[in-house]
Amino acid sequence: MFNDILNIILKVAEGAFTEITVFVGIALILFGYFNFKNDGNFIKTIQKNKKFQPLIGAFLGLIPGCGGAILIAPLYIKKTVTLGTVVAALIATMGDSSFLLMTKSPKTFILVSIFTFIIGVVSGYIVDYGQFEKRFNLNNHFFNRKKKKNIFKNILCRKQYNFEHIGHKKGDEIDLILHHDIKGHQSVGTIGFKITHKGYVIYFAILIIGLMIGIANLFNFDFGDKNISKIISTIGIIGTFGSIFLMLAGHKYFSEHTHEEEEIRLTSLKETFIHSIIDTAFIGTWVFIAFLLYEMFIYFIGMTDLATGNDIFMQLTESSEYYAIMIGALVGMIPGCGPQIIFVSLYLKGILPIEALIAHSISQDGDALLPLIAMDVKSSLVITIITTIVALIVGYILIII
Ligand SMILES: [Zn+2]
Ligand SMILES: [Zn+2]
């Protein structure tokens, strides 16, 4: 049994890296560049166009990754954008699991994106026209409450880069929270920082080799020689364990993006690139965890026989689409991208209906809710409840239809 489990771990590690992580990495690098060029402009546009805010908000949320939605949080606290804008962005966002879906199942990705975008826009306008912000008495007390904070906290600044703040100014109340109270970018000079900001080169090299293997596999290229196959397996395994190592060195566990990092990314193209690589490691690790949990589960319910396990599992999931929607919407309430990647990975395994994936995508907020929780717990709670209710309604309507 021990040998079986070890084999499963190694096989899953290899598959996760060469079949998924390497492609996710390329998508991340491309979109990192796209966001570097455009995010600043999107934020400027949204500040100027009050009427179209939920629409632009949903668009920002739709951009793969967490960046667009994260940047909106301080704008809301400053009352530059409406509550409906945040709701629209968070409904539209799929966090980092978007990269997973995009590379493994592009058609589903487009379909889900269309759904989350339209539902995000509609919900956003309902929230604004229904005056939910007033009704729930949200976002009123932030500045009064925070003014009492010790301004000398500024001295304990961990900022290491010169970067432009987005949605707020240096030294303001939001600054105190986003750059001092909560986790931001790694401190320069620590061992972890050196590993992530210098060691990323090695991981990137493995990623490129893995990508060539992944592409060769896609075209069913036969390497023939047994020794070459062994080397290829080893690269995949090294890749996954490298992902875990890089993720841990960056002190990322359940979420990977902070508002501070997004600001730094938009100032430096090099930082954008480095963090695209670190994000790849994060996603790769969570995909590995998801697939490993799945394989282990199958192994044990099948009494160490994978084929039997698979049959039992398929029977279990076939009759449970109502639960799947519920679970999708509830998992979406958890802040942070990690758990969300597990859910999307399981969808890719073919064990969840698409309605559940849509409900989950509407409900989940990626890492974007985290800065908001730090600044305004009540608003975050109301927002996440709204997105979950919308997810349940849409999910069940889809099933009935
Ligand atoms: Zn800032
Ligand atoms: Zn960095």
Side-chain angles (χ1 to χ4, degrees):
M1 194 168 97
F2 176 76
N3 264 341
D4 282 354
I5 292 176
L6 186 69
N7 274 334
I8 291 175
I9 293 174
L10 295 180
K11 233 187 118 210
V12 171
E14 182 195 342
F17 191 71
T18 54
E19 287 164 25
I20 294 179
T21 311
V22 293
F23 296 106
V24 165
I26 297 309
L28 269 163
I29 291 168
L30 293 177
F31 274 97
Y33 184 70
F34 174 82
N35 291 348
F36 175 77
K37 286 272 173 205
N38 298 307
D39 272 6
N41 292 331
F42 289 138
I43 293 295
K44 273 183 201 140
T45 317
I46 204 170
Q47 287 173 314
K48 281 187 208 144
N49 296 290
K50 275 268 175 206
K51 265 198 175 161
F52 297 109
Q53 278 185 350
L55 190 74
I56 309 169
F59 181 72
L60 270 166
L62 202 62
I63 299 172
C66 298
I70 269 195
L71 291 174
I72 287 184
L75 296 179
Y76 165 70
I77 296 295
K78 286 234 155 178
K79 292 182 180 289
T80 320
V81 303
T82 61
L83 178 69
T85 312
V86 187
V87 169
L90 293 189
I91 285 182
T93 190
M94 273 187 260
D96 283 319
S97 37
S98 53
F99 293 110
L100 199 57
L101 205 56
M102 177 199 304
T103 46
K104 288 316 282 184
S105 184
K107 273 188 196 159
T108 320
F109 171 73
I110 292 170
L111 182 75
V112 175
S113 297
I114 293 171
F115 261 97
T116 56
F117 180 75
I118 294 172
I119 291 159
V121 173
V122 172
S123 311
Y125 279 108
I126 291 176
V127 164
D128 281 353
Y129 280 108
Q131 301 199 314
F132 281 42
E133 202 168 335
K134 262 195 197 151
R135 230 172 261 229
F136 292 105
N137 190 22
L138 300 176
N139 197 17
N140 277 330
H141 313 293
F142 178 77
F143 287 102
N144 300 338
R145 186 167 35 113
K146 293 297 169 188
K147 256 175 199 156
K148 293 185 191 118
K149 275 211 156 176
N150 190 351
I151 206 74
F152 287 108
K153 252 191 153 176
N154 255 343
I155 297 167
L156 297 168
C157 194
R158 62 152 177 258
K159 209 159 41 195
Q160 324 83 356
Y161 294 97
N162 278 322
F163 60 89
E164 262 179 59
H165 292 286
I166 297 169
H168 74 101
K169 291 196 178 70
K170 185 177 171 14
D172 64 5
E173 291 81 356
I174 292 177
D175 187 298
L176 287 181
I177 295 182
L178 292 181
H179 301 295
H180 302 271
D181 283 1
I182 63 167
K183 201 164 127 184
H185 188 277
Q186 258 184 312
S187 300
V188 170
T190 56
I191 297 174
F193 175 85
K194 279 178 193 151
I195 295 174
T196 50
H197 284 64
K198 297 217 157 68
Y200 78 93
V201 181
I202 300 170
Y203 182 77
F204 180 61
I206 302 171
L207 206 63
I208 294 299
I209 300 169
L211 182 68
M212 293 192 279
I213 297 170
I215 292 172
N217 283 341
L218 271 188
F219 292 102
N220 290 321
F221 183 79
D222 186 15
F223 291 99
D225 194 71
K226 257 197 169 172
N227 286 327
I228 297 180
S229 299
K230 258 191 185 167
I231 295 172
I232 284 170
S233 296
T234 314
I235 291 168
I237 293 162
I238 291 174
T240 286
F241 287 99
S243 304
I244 297 171
F245 179 70
L246 197 64
M247 174 179 126
L248 294 179
H251 298 289
K252 308 274 184 185
Y253 309 105
F254 293 96
S255 68
E256 54 181 328
H257 298 274
T258 65
H259 190 271
E260 183 173 274
E261 283 172 350
E262 290 306 319
E263 288 176 330
I264 293 175
R265 279 171 91 133
L266 294 188
T267 311
S268 149
L269 190 57
K270 191 184 172 197
E271 275 291 311
T272 295
F273 183 73
I274 294 175
H275 283 270
S276 298
I277 303 295
I278 302 173
D279 290 354
T280 307
F282 177 90
I283 299 178
T285 303
W286 276 94
V287 168
F288 169 66
I289 293 171
F291 286 174
L292 190 61
L293 287 175
Y294 172 79
E295 295 291 334
M296 283 297 170
F297 190 69
I298 299 287
Y299 179 75
F300 284 108
I301 58 168
M303 303 290 190
T304 73
D305 183 64
L306 287 175
T308 321
N310 236 328
D311 287 346
I312 299 174
F313 197 68
M314 282 301 165
Q315 281 166 8
L316 276 178
T317 49
E318 247 166 36
S319 53
S320 55
E321 50 179 8
Y322 282 89
Y323 296 110
I325 292 200
M326 181 77 78
I327 294 168
L330 291 179
V331 169
M333 287 184 96
I334 307 170
C337 285
Q340 316 305 335
I341 292 172
I342 292 196
F343 193 86
V344 176
S345 301
L346 292 181
Y347 170 81
L348 292 173
K349 281 274 178 197
I351 55 177
L352 293 165
I354 179 124
E355 293 89 350
L357 180 72
I358 292 175
H360 170 258
S361 303
I362 290 172
S363 171
Q364 77 138 306
D365 311 317
D367 291 332
L369 200 64
L370 291 164
L372 205 60
I373 293 175
M375 293 186 285
D376 184 350
V377 177
K378 192 180 169 193
S379 291
S380 335
L381 206 63
V382 170
I383 291 167
T384 200
I385 290 171
I386 293 174
T387 60
T388 308
I389 292 173
V390 174
L392 288 170
I393 294 172
V394 173
Y396 285 116
I397 289 178
L398 284 175
I399 275 203
I400 293 163
I401 293 172

